[in-house]
Amino acid sequence: MKFAPLMRAALLVSAVAVVPAATSGLAAVDGRVNHEFDKLFTIYELVRQNYVDQVDDDKLVKGAIDGMLASLDPHSNYLDGPALQRLETMIDGKYSGLGLSVIEEDGAVKIISPFKGSPAEKAGLKAGDYITHINGVLYYDRDLDEAVEKMRGPAGTTINLTVYRPGRDEPLDVTVTRGVIELKPVTWELKDNVGVISVNEFSRNVGLEVNKGLIDLKKQAALKGNGKLVGLVLDLRSNPGGSLDEAIALSDLFLDHGDIVSQRGRLASENQFYRAETVFKGDAAKGLPVVVLVDAGSASASEIVAGALQDQHRAVVMGERTFGKGSVQSFIQLDPTSAVKLTTARYYTPSGHSVQEGGIIPDIKVPQLSDPDARARAERAVRESDLRGHLINEAALDDKDLESDDTQDPRFKVSAEELKEKGIKDFQLHYAISTLERTADKPALAAAGAEKSKD
């Protein structure tokens, strides 16, 4: 079973400020456009009066709105009812279900990522899996919100899923027991003397939560042998994005000078530059070496952070080329039950680089060798450049910029079975921690440049 890479919008970067909806109506539309609206209304009336079955007016209007926004780019869309509620839950919510972030891809339900510690993760579901059946019923070319609603339910109840996993010949049947999902965008743990902070999405207060995690990790390290952290891993893998403000706050946490990101709209008057020390003062990590882990699922806000810390030589970026979404969406509330998410600007890293299509290229490319299916999923990974109607990078990228991320480095010629025997469950994280431990006496790692060609 194959699925074409046609992905609809996920919860990615959106401006926090609510943009007021226009109220001037057709009076402000010029004559040429008015003529096109006449055509639209004529077709609307033809359908209402002549279609073989009676049609719902709301359905026709919503279809027209959806079609208008879909003609722009993959990330502009109309939100109402369940879709709007789902977005609000992703930002603030607590619910009973599986703990999955999903999108619709060419009619199928695709997993972006299972939340850490969720029933979905414990059942073995992975980013890139396609859910084809729910309790034996085929879910293909159906409404995504219907599938999401089916997967939610009282904690303690079970659900049966059939999953297609790239790289596997046969589908997988998985039974998951629903649980209470409390969205935790930031988690952290101490591994040896290296702090690992995982940011799963950029929802409210992410910058503050990462700062809280850094303080706690320092306290934990102080209770151990040498009494200090030797490095920090900022794990942004499979993070689809979220709030632009929180991406700026997180970047600012580690920077004490310079630009973080610039946002450029249609008009020069709309351009904005976001600089360090506007949210936090100084570098909260006090120069501690930092590795940022990314992969094909790291998008938008994740790319802003990775690009800022990379360009400012504050961190080494490791992993795989990121998703490549270099646009900003504004959230425009129309009324209490509907809103529009509209692409209003492109963003650029401090060096003036647009990640649109090409993404962030890691300083050190590290494949996920501990997952036997990772290579097959990576070969089929959908990025911004694969999406129908995506914005084109103004720099006109060559095909080589969008090629496979496979590396021929001999250090990475080891099988998942060998790693399993050594007790390594996450090779990318293991490699990042090992690098920080090996370079604990080399603060220049934070400057990124020289170390990536050594080791």
Side-chain angles (χ1 to χ4, degrees), residues 231-244:
L232 184 71
V233 176
L234 186 61
D235 190 351
L236 302 181
R237 291 174 298 174
S238 298
N239 182 326
S243 166
L244 173 62

Side-chain angles (χ1 to χ4, degrees), residues 354-376:
S354 169
V355 305
Q356 182 64 21
E357 293 190 277
I360 298 292
I361 307 299
D363 298 306
I364 305 175
K365 292 184 179 181
V366 182
Q368 182 57 296
L369 301 178
S370 50
D371 184 344
D373 302 313
R375 185 177 297 275

Side-chain angles (χ1 to χ4, degrees), residues 321-393:
R321 180 168 61 90
T322 61
F323 186 80
K325 180 178 178 293
S327 61
V328 178
Q329 280 68 51
S330 292
F331 186 79
I332 306 167
Q333 192 84 40
L334 302 178
D335 56 48
T337 61
S338 64
V340 169
K341 189 151 66 73
L342 187 67
T343 299
T344 54
R346 290 178 170 88
Y347 71 78
Y348 298 80
T349 68
S351 67
H353 167 68
S354 169
V355 305
Q356 182 64 21
E357 293 190 277
I360 298 292
I361 307 299
D363 298 306
I364 305 175
K365 292 184 179 181
V366 182
Q368 182 57 296
L369 301 178
S370 50
D371 184 344
D373 302 313
R375 185 177 297 275
R377 291 204 308 278
E379 290 172 353
R380 296 168 174 81
V382 176
R383 289 186 169 90
E384 179 77 10
S385 56
D386 298 309
L387 304 188
R388 178 183 295 167
H390 68 271
L391 296 179
I392 303 301
N393 190 304

Side-chain angles (χ1 to χ4, degrees), residues 35-205:
H35 174 71
E36 296 301 319
F37 270 104
D38 287 342
K39 189 185 299 182
L40 176 64
F41 291 138
T42 297
I43 295 172
Y44 169 75
E45 285 299 327
L46 282 172
V47 172
R48 289 183 72 235
Q49 295 175 22
N50 300 289
Y51 188 65
V52 64
D53 294 320
Q54 186 172 352
V55 292
D56 180 76
D57 286 350
D58 290 343
K59 181 178 180 180
L60 290 178
V61 172
K62 185 178 184 301
I65 294 171
D66 287 341
M68 185 192 312
L69 293 171
S71 72
L72 302 175
D73 68 84
H75 307 297
S76 295
N77 55 20
Y78 175 67
L79 302 167
D80 69 343
L84 186 59
Q85 291 171 12
R86 187 156 58 91
L87 183 141
E88 291 169 348
T89 297
M90 288 295 294
I91 295 174
D92 299 311
K94 175 180 177 181
Y95 64 94
S96 294
L98 308 185
L100 284 173
S101 177
V102 297
I103 57 169
E104 179 187 340
E105 182 177 302
D106 196 26
V109 179
K110 182 178 181 180
I111 297 175
I112 299 177
S113 63
F115 301 135
K116 288 189 182 348
S118 67
E121 184 187 52
K122 293 174 182 175
L125 295 175
K126 299 179 180 181
D129 285 349
Y130 294 87
I131 298 172
T132 60
H133 295 73
I134 300 175
N135 285 333
V137 177
L138 175 65
Y139 270 77
Y140 180 74
D141 203 19
R142 297 173 71 162
D143 188 77
L144 180 63
D145 293 311
E146 182 183 348
V148 170
E149 192 63 29
K150 279 288 183 186
M151 288 188 283
R152 290 183 181 172
T157 59
T158 60
I159 186 170
N160 299 313
L161 305 177
T162 301
V163 172
Y164 164 74
R165 179 170 294 167
R168 297 286 185 97
D169 294 330
E170 298 295 328
L172 304 172
D173 291 318
V174 181
T175 299
V176 189
T177 301
R178 297 181 180 94
V180 175
I181 310 301
E182 294 187 56
L183 301 180
K184 295 182 179 179
V186 181
T187 58
W188 59 85
E189 62 179 323
L190 185 68
K191 289 183 174 290
D192 297 325
N193 283 318
V194 174
V196 179
I197 299 180
S198 299
V199 182
N200 304 311
E201 62 179 33
F202 284 84
S203 55
R204 202 162 290 148
N205 295 325

